[in-house]
Amino acid sequence: MGRFQRYELDFGQMAIFMRLDRIALCDFIVETYRIRAGIMFRQPPLSAVGNIFAMPFENDVWISVVILIVFTTLIFILELLFYPFRHDMDYWDCAIFVWGAICQQGFYVNIANRSGRIVVFTTFVATLFLFTSFSANIVALLQSPSKSIQTLGDLTQSPLEIGVQDTVYNKIYFNESTDPVTKLLYHKKIASKGESVYMRPIMGMEKMRTGLFAYQVELQAGYQIISDTFNEPEKCGLKDLEAFQLPIIAIPTRKNFPYKELFRRQLRWQREIGLMNREERKWFPQKPKCEGGVGGFISVGISECRYALLMFAFGIILSILVLCVELMIRNSILHITEIHYQL
């Protein structure tokens, strides 16, 4: 800007951002291209934002499953009550049988009568269909991205870390932003991390490809890296959000430049006849399309299995508590019996 003020330069060879503080120092001939910058990320998998073990069925299906368990257990109990011959099982075995059938487990009791075998057969067939549908949905959900992040507010509350392309204007426009959502995002996930959040595009896009990471980058540069390095399934679930809009870039000239109108007419003529649009489509990469679907190999980690592990831990704790209660009851009975004999 100083060289324009001192009349050492007549016009700039490259376009620059058209900012208010620059308009007082130089003139702008015509806008050229639109540079877009945004926070690019892959939607987190469903397993990272919710319990995928509850997602395969709708609520009415889960209610139907509970009704099926209760109804089958009652039918089995009634069969035990009214069958004239004795079964080698008690009433608790009925509930264990139904729950085991839901989990595709066998039954340890040999049912001799035909009515009981019909109950066992129909229960196993019904639960087989349920188990197959549940398992197929789990596999699909493991490979499906979520749609949990749609706004900057969602991104602020998400578990994604954020990196920023190491450019001067990113630091300036984040600090100058007056949008409360953008300011909250900046102070919570960028400013608090220090200089470590600023990185080169190659590094930032690689972290975005391999983990729960979002990256503020010039979208055209990001699209090019995605086209070069991402697999087809990895292109699915991509999303970008603009934290701020960059100003239009335009060619600057010094004040009172005599050929300003000539430059302006020629550059506008190039835009009107489509030359600029053609060059923009030629040199600026477009957003890659998801053409391979969401298929491919998906490794299952602890995060995907955390609810199953929590259920397992809950069962262990509950069994220990029940064992303690049983031991207390047993000791109490023994103590009462000893007192009774002493009397």
Side-chain angles (χ1 to χ4, degrees):
M1 291 296 105
R3 300 186 69 180
F4 281 123
Q5 288 180 287
R6 294 190 297 270
Y7 281 44
E8 295 177 3
L9 291 178
D10 289 329
F11 65 92
Q13 185 178 3
M14 297 182 63
I16 61 175
F17 288 128
M18 188 185 296
R19 290 172 53 92
L20 290 176
D21 53 356
R22 291 174 174 172
I23 293 177
L25 306 177
C26 66
D27 289 334
F28 289 94
I29 299 176
V30 67
E31 69 278 1
T32 55
Y33 301 107
R34 168 80 189 279
I35 300 296
R36 295 179 59 228
I39 302 177
M40 192 178 297
F41 58 92
R42 297 173 64 196
Q43 288 282 7
L46 286 172
S47 57
V49 298
N51 182 8
I52 61 172
F53 295 101
M55 294 179 183
F57 295 152
E58 298 289 341
N59 290 334
D60 53 352
V61 179
W62 286 116
I63 294 173
S64 301
V65 171
V66 174
I67 293 174
L68 174 66
I69 293 174
V70 175
F71 180 75
T72 307
T73 304
L74 292 177
I75 291 295
F76 219 156
I77 291 175
L78 291 175
E79 200 273 339
L80 288 180
L81 286 174
F82 295 103
Y83 187 67
F85 300 101
R86 182 178 178 274
H87 282 296
D88 190 18
M89 58 185 296
D90 57 22
Y91 300 124
W92 281 109
D93 290 330
C94 299
I96 294 174
F97 156 70
V98 177
W99 187 254
I102 291 289
C103 300
Q104 293 295 289
Q105 301 298 312
F107 194 44
Y108 53 86
V109 177
N110 183 22
I111 306 297
N113 61 313
R114 290 180 176 83
S115 60
R117 290 181 176 180
I118 291 174
V119 173
V120 172
F121 175 76
T122 54
T123 302
F124 275 127
V125 171
T127 55
L128 174 64
F129 293 149
L130 287 172
F131 185 83
T132 303
S133 302
F134 183 86
S135 301
N137 276 282
I138 286 292
V139 173
L141 291 172
L142 283 172
Q143 303 178 71
S144 301
S146 66
K147 296 182 180 179
S148 60
I149 304 177
Q150 299 295 329
T151 63
L152 289 176
D154 296 335
L155 182 61
T156 304
Q157 303 302 325
S158 72
L160 272 65
E161 297 181 1
I162 293 183
V164 180
Q165 184 179 359
D166 193 6
T167 58
V168 175
Y169 68 78
N170 274 328
K171 301 177 182 179
I172 293 175
Y173 286 111
F174 267 120
N175 282 316
E176 292 182 351
S177 176
T178 57
D179 181 50
V181 179
T182 302
K183 291 175 67 175
L184 177 62
L185 174 69
Y186 174 71
H187 290 294
K188 182 176 181 179
K189 294 209 167 191
I190 298 176
S192 60
K193 305 295 183 180
E195 292 296 320
S196 61
V197 299
Y198 297 99
M199 60 190 70
R200 294 181 294 110
I202 291 292
M203 183 184 301
M205 297 301 291
E206 178 63 21
K207 294 183 70 174
M208 187 192 81
R209 186 181 71 86
T210 57
L212 296 176
F213 193 78
Y215 186 56
Q216 166 76 17
V217 64
E218 287 184 9
L219 296 183
Q220 290 86 351
Y223 293 156
Q224 184 63 53
I225 296 174
I226 290 172
S227 299
D228 294 339
T229 61
F230 280 43
N231 298 325
E232 289 301 323
E234 293 172 342
K235 297 176 183 178
C236 301
L238 285 174
K239 189 173 180 62
D240 51 76
L241 299 171
E242 290 192 40
F244 49 80
Q245 283 195 348
L246 293 175
I248 296 174
I249 60 174
I251 296 177
T253 66
R254 65 173 175 82
K255 293 289 186 179
N256 303 317
F257 181 52
Y259 301 106
K260 180 171 62 177
E261 289 300 323
L262 177 62
F263 275 81
R264 178 181 287 120
R265 284 198 302 268
Q266 291 302 112
L267 289 173
R268 288 197 179 278
W269 173 78
Q270 291 180 8
R271 176 173 292 281
E272 289 171 358
I273 65 172
L275 285 176
M276 286 190 178
N277 290 334
R278 187 193 68 176
E279 295 301 313
E280 183 175 358
R281 290 194 300 268
K282 179 180 179 181
W283 297 108
F284 287 3
Q286 302 300 312
K287 184 176 181 178
K289 296 181 180 179
C290 174
E291 297 178 350
V294 294
F297 175 76
I298 302 293
S299 59
V300 178
I302 294 295
S303 62
E304 287 81 6
C305 300
R306 64 186 184 277
Y307 289 101
L309 297 176
L310 286 174
M311 179 64 71
F312 181 67
F314 174 77
I316 292 176
I317 295 172
L318 181 61
S319 63
I320 293 174
L321 292 176
V322 172
L323 175 62
C324 293
V325 172
E326 290 176 341
L327 291 175
M328 291 173 60
I329 294 174
R330 177 178 176 274
N331 292 333
S332 299
I333 293 174
L334 291 176
H335 182 66
I336 293 173
T337 304
E338 290 178 359
I339 294 175
H340 178 72
Y341 284 145
Q342 290 176 359
L343 295 176

